[in-house]
Amino acid sequence: MCADMPQFPYIQPCLLVLRDRPVQIGWYNEVVSQAHHLKYSAETLAVVILSTPSMFEKTFLPFLQRRCWENIRDPIDECVAHTISSCVSEHFSEQRVDISYDYEMLPSRKPKFLAQTAAHVAGAARYYRLSDIKDPPWGSKKMFGVCIHPQLGGWFAIRALLVWTGVEAGEELQQVAPPDCVGSQEARINLLESFNLRWQDWTYRDIIPTKESYSPRQREYFLTPPAQRAALLKKWGFGPR
């Protein structure tokens, strides 16, 4: 790995990611369409940022206590953006780091990056899609794919992609396939059906035994319609200043 390769001792505690997940841009560009290619050289270093369930209590709620969020469109997105940008500014100020968030869109209305694909090529979580089913029982019905993490199942979120524009990873950074934790065809069918047809009950998140899941308060927040979340936060005592 090249001498200029940045190290990430601050990423995990600052961002509550699962672990460092470096990736070469070429790995991503090889599996997406030309329209979704990222405009960097193939060996450019990037890191996929994932949040664990504990992010809600350890980062999000303290964020609300410290800041005025009355006019914020989405407090979670604002918290993630503030936390990541602050960490990058503090610890990587001498390097150029491009940050793309999972909710950001290009002028063409395409996402800035395909979050689940990025997590898959980084080896963080396996992206299960229709192509993983040998004999799909749904005919021509469109079924969306979903990422599953080997320890957290579906109880995590892909938050951002950080790209170190002047750093090439080199040959020492080897791609590792994400663990196949939903191995049987029956389980994969159940996963895609749960995600596409019964996503509101969140059973797809428990497709495998997990070490951690959302707390009752976090579940209440995300099950509340976005327009009503401000009222819920005020009920919890997180009123705007």
Side-chain angles (χ1 to χ4, degrees), residues 14-216:
C14 288
L15 308 179
L16 294 178
V17 297
L18 303 173
R19 57 180 59 88
D20 297 339
R21 283 300 183 182
V23 58
Q24 291 188 26
I25 292 298
W27 303 348
Y28 174 89
N29 284 345
E30 286 175 0
V31 298
V32 300
S33 68
Q34 184 72 34
H36 290 100
H37 276 196
L38 300 176
K39 308 303 182 183
Y40 305 97
S41 66
E43 292 190 349
T44 299
L45 176 70
V47 170
V48 179
I49 303 297
L50 311 176
S51 65
T52 68
S54 60
M55 184 273 283
F56 192 82
E57 275 77 19
K58 292 183 178 179
T59 301
F60 178 59
L61 297 184
F63 169 81
L64 295 179
Q65 292 177 325
R66 295 191 303 268
R67 296 177 65 86
C68 176
W69 48 268
E70 184 175 12
N71 297 317
I72 294 176
R73 180 186 62 83
D74 189 311
I76 286 282
D77 289 348
E78 181 72 14
C79 172
V80 168
H82 172 77
T83 303
I84 292 177
S85 62
S86 297
C87 181
V88 169
S89 296
E90 181 177 356
H91 300 294
F92 304 101
S93 60
E94 296 183 358
Q95 297 168 314
R96 179 182 168 186
V97 183
D98 290 349
I99 306 173
S100 297
Y101 297 104
D102 66 299
Y103 55 84
E104 290 186 306
M105 307 293 284
L106 297 168
S108 63
R109 303 308 300 162
K110 290 184 175 66
K112 291 188 72 174
F113 76 106
L114 300 179
Q116 296 200 104
T117 300
H120 182 95
V121 299
R126 193 173 189 91
Y127 187 20
Y128 291 96
R129 294 164 289 181
L130 191 61
S131 59
D132 293 307
I133 309 297
K134 293 180 180 179
D135 297 304
W138 309 292
S140 59
K141 183 177 179 63
K142 185 175 180 62
M143 302 291 278
F144 294 99
V146 60
C147 274
I148 297 296
H149 184 272
Q151 280 83 45
L152 295 175
W155 300 104
F156 73 100
I158 306 161
R159 297 297 184 184
L161 181 72
L162 278 58
V163 181
W164 273 257
T165 60
V167 179
E168 292 193 344
E171 296 181 356
E172 291 184 17
L173 180 59
Q174 296 295 311
Q175 187 172 12
V176 177
D180 184 2
C181 48
V182 187
S184 74
Q185 289 292 300
E186 180 181 2
R188 292 177 181 182
I189 289 172
N190 182 34
L191 172 63
L192 293 192
E193 286 186 345
S194 297
F195 180 67
N196 285 270
L197 307 180
R198 302 182 297 275
W199 60 269
Q200 299 96 329
D201 65 16
W202 286 1
T203 54
Y204 76 90
R205 298 181 187 268
D206 284 318
I207 192 67
I208 61 172
T210 61
K211 292 184 176 181
E212 187 181 357
S213 64
Y214 289 0
S215 65

